Amino acid sequence: MTEPSEGSPSDRRRGAAYQLAAAVSAAPGCEAAALGMSASWHILIRDLMSRSWIPVSVGFIGAGTGVSTVCGPLFSGALTEHYS
């Protein structure tokens, strides 16, 4: 159960708007970091893996990215519904 919050309803809405604005502002930074990490993984694979294993390794990176893109919002939505 949630505890009653202090302040008027307009104060609570304003607080929620500030939280949403902070989350939206942080999203592009997270995307940029993820894009940079993806490029770094490709560079590391090209340098460290043998030539025959490069396509398999890049395929695993692509599959992991795809699975996380689909399952991430589903899991976070389920956790949000369960614990809020």
Side-chain angles (χ1 to χ4, degrees):
M1 295 185 74
T2 60
E3 296 181 29
S5 49
E6 299 290 324
S8 67
S10 64
D11 289 339
R12 288 192 296 263
R13 282 193 298 271
R14 190 175 309 122
Y18 287 140
Q19 288 176 350
L20 178 62
V24 170
S25 298
C30 293
E31 283 185 54
L35 184 62
M37 286 189 298
S38 175
S40 298
W41 278 111
H42 285 282
I43 292 168
L44 284 173
I45 284 175
R46 300 266 313 171
D47 287 342
L48 299 177
M49 301 297 283
S50 67
R51 187 178 276 276
S52 62
W53 281 95
I54 290 174
V56 175
S57 303
V58 172
F60 277 124
I61 288 176
T65 303
V67 168
S68 66
T69 301
V70 172
C71 293
L74 294 175
F75 287 146
S76 62
L79 290 172
T80 302
E81 286 294 319
H82 185 269
Y83 289 110
S84 66

